[in-house]
Amino acid sequence: MRKFYCIFFLLILQQHQVFCQVATVNRQLFFLDDKPLDVTLTTDIRALRRSKKNSPYKPAHFEMQFGDTLKISEDIRVQTRGIYRKNNCDLASLMLNFKNSFSPKLSPLKKLKLVGDCKNTSSYDELLLKEYLIYKIQNFLSPMSFRVRLVHITYNDSQEKVKSTTQYAFLIEDIDDLAARNNCVELKNDKLMTNDVDREQMTFVNLFQYMIGNTDWSVPKRHNIKLLVSKNDSLSRPYAIAYDFDYAGFVDASYAVPSEGLPIESVRQRLYRGFSRGLDELNAEIEVFKEKKESILYYIDHFELCSTKCRKEMVSYLEEFYKTISDKKDVETIFIKNARTE
């Protein structure tokens, strides 16, 4: 009998620990677990596909499976987002709004962006996983980066007019949580030039975007860049945070092409989009990348959701970057002599 109660107690404790992942004070733990979650989203798929920019939220039912012991099933609201995906994908990326009286267990997650496949094919699944890995790489390199959680999601049509589909997707943590972890708050509406933001952080972002082969970003236009400002120092410069990487050469999506005017023909070609820095400044940030090299390459090489071929290609692409930053002449040529001037 004592053994029975011990087992029962352990099961209850396990459920409590899992549930704490969505408890208010510990919601950050939700993004510290690498294990993919099985989730199901049921809503009017056709209505979502017809949604335009700034369309109102639509009702949906959301199920999330935590391990083998706990399933949370509640009503939430969903909204489409992203201009390109609305016009070109089977289903646009979504904003999941858990904050309502119908989802008391999930409401602490607030609003989360869900990034899904553009098309429901295995090749697009791999593109999605590669973009997910970029976020994980950035997490290795800097605490000023969005955390993500991989999910295996099934989309069900509440009207039973669209066939159910299952694919990988990932959730992105709320900007307020990212800011809080770094003792900052989000800066909105201010129009700033690239040289107006924190110099050290911007140097890191410049190198990181070069590492993954991404030119689809801009500080002045606030394109795929968020800005955070310190809570304690009102005079400090804002920190630039990069996100949205599906146009990166690391991902190599078939629809990704460089912007007109850039001197590259393919997103696989790296182009440094940062302003010039001193060699000492660059080397300080380069050391961060070098220190994390083995951890990053090991993580990618053992990410078994991607094929062996895909993993080798990703590692090879990153090795090219590491070869560049290990060559003093390349560093001076690419990041100083050929840096942006305007």
Side-chain angles (χ1 to χ4, degrees):
M1 182 64 69
R2 180 180 298 176
K3 182 178 180 180
F4 170 80
Y5 281 118
C6 287
I7 293 174
F8 178 77
F9 175 76
L10 288 173
L11 288 174
I12 295 297
L13 179 62
Q14 182 181 15
Q15 286 188 335
H16 174 72
Q17 290 173 334
V18 172
F19 179 76
C20 281
Q21 288 185 306
V22 291
T24 303
V25 294
N26 290 317
R27 66 175 179 270
Q28 293 86 354
L29 297 178
F30 180 83
F31 287 98
L32 293 181
D33 193 339
D34 269 354
K35 185 178 180 181
L37 289 172
D38 287 321
V39 302
T40 300
L41 179 69
T42 304
T43 189
D44 188 335
I45 300 296
R46 286 186 174 181
L48 276 186
R49 288 174 174 172
R50 292 192 297 266
S51 294
K52 303 299 180 182
K53 187 177 181 180
N54 299 324
S55 295
Y57 279 102
K58 301 185 184 305
H61 188 75
F62 193 80
E63 293 184 1
M64 185 178 294
Q65 181 73 44
F66 291 92
D68 299 325
T69 57
L70 180 63
K71 177 186 287 186
I72 298 177
S73 180
E74 295 183 329
D75 291 331
I76 66 169
R77 294 176 293 159
V78 298
Q79 184 183 56
T80 56
R81 62 183 189 84
I83 297 173
Y84 175 86
R85 293 191 177 224
K86 286 182 181 180
N87 297 324
N88 297 277
C89 298
D90 293 338
L91 182 63
S93 293
L94 302 175
M95 177 68 77
L96 307 184
N97 190 338
F98 299 98
K99 293 184 67 175
N100 65 82
S101 60
F102 302 105
S103 54
K105 296 178 182 178
L106 294 176
S107 61
L109 292 177
K110 299 183 178 179
K111 296 179 182 179
L112 297 179
K113 293 178 179 178
L114 176 75
V115 180
D117 284 352
C118 181
K119 305 288 184 181
N120 188 37
T121 66
S122 58
S123 61
Y124 273 90
D125 236 9
E126 200 156 73
L127 296 181
L128 184 285
L129 293 171
K130 287 195 283 187
E131 186 180 3
Y132 164 80
L133 284 172
I134 291 178
Y135 283 93
K136 301 299 288 186
I137 293 170
Q138 196 178 26
N139 293 161
F140 275 108
L141 294 166
S142 173
M144 285 198 174
S145 58
F146 282 99
R147 291 172 177 168
V148 289
R149 182 71 186 267
L150 195 63
V151 298
H152 198 229
I153 185 169
T154 297
Y155 297 96
N156 289 333
D157 181 31
S158 59
Q159 306 302 309
E160 299 183 349
K161 295 180 180 179
V162 179
K163 184 179 179 181
S164 295
T165 59
T166 300
Q167 59 183 234
Y168 281 105
F170 60 85
L171 295 164
I172 305 177
E173 77 170 325
D174 186 86
I175 182 66
D176 290 339
D177 286 339
L178 166 59
R181 284 193 287 107
N182 292 279
N183 200 31
C184 293
V185 293
E186 183 182 8
L187 181 64
K188 300 179 180 180
N189 302 324
D190 287 46
K191 293 182 179 180
L192 299 173
M193 302 304 290
T194 305
N195 284 331
D196 293 329
V197 302
D198 182 82
R199 190 176 175 94
E200 182 178 339
Q201 173 66 12
M202 195 69 243
T203 304
F204 164 76
V205 171
N206 292 337
L207 288 170
F208 180 74
Q209 300 282 28
Y210 182 82
M211 177 193 200
I212 62 173
N214 188 36
T215 58
D216 186 36
W217 60 278
S218 169
V219 173
K221 295 179 180 178
R222 203 67 68 87
H223 179 56
N224 296 335
I225 292 286
K226 295 288 187 181
L227 295 179
L228 303 182
V229 65
S230 172
K231 285 182 179 180
N232 301 327
D233 186 357
S234 60
L235 299 179
S236 64
R237 294 190 174 193
Y239 302 101
I241 312 296
Y243 71 101
D244 198 348
F245 306 112
D246 64 318
Y247 267 62
F250 183 89
V251 176
D252 195 22
S254 59
Y255 56 80
V257 293
S259 296
E260 292 184 12
L262 295 181
I264 53 176
E265 297 179 354
S266 164
V267 294
R268 290 288 285 183
Q269 294 176 262
R270 289 185 171 91
L271 178 67
Y272 185 64
R273 298 292 292 150
F275 289 93
S276 182
R277 294 288 193 261
L279 190 57
D280 289 343
E281 290 178 285
L282 287 167
N283 284 334
E285 294 305 312
I286 284 172
E287 282 305 309
V288 175
F289 286 85
K290 289 181 176 179
E291 288 172 5
K292 299 298 182 180
K293 175 183 177 181
E294 295 305 318
S295 297
I296 290 170
L297 296 186
Y298 181 88
Y299 189 87
I300 293 172
D301 195 41
H302 289 76
F303 188 73
E304 296 183 354
L305 293 178
C306 286
S307 67
T308 301
K309 178 183 177 182
C310 176
R311 282 178 276 162
K312 287 182 178 179
E313 290 174 348
M314 288 188 288
V315 169
S316 176
Y317 192 72
L318 294 182
E319 287 282 18
E320 292 175 5
F321 165 77
Y322 277 105
K323 182 179 179 180
T324 296
I325 64 173
S326 297
D327 188 306
K328 183 179 178 181
K329 289 185 178 179
D330 283 345
V331 170
E332 291 178 342
T333 299
I334 296 171
F335 306 127
I336 299 177
K337 294 179 181 179
N338 293 338
R340 291 178 58 187
T341 58
E342 59 181 9

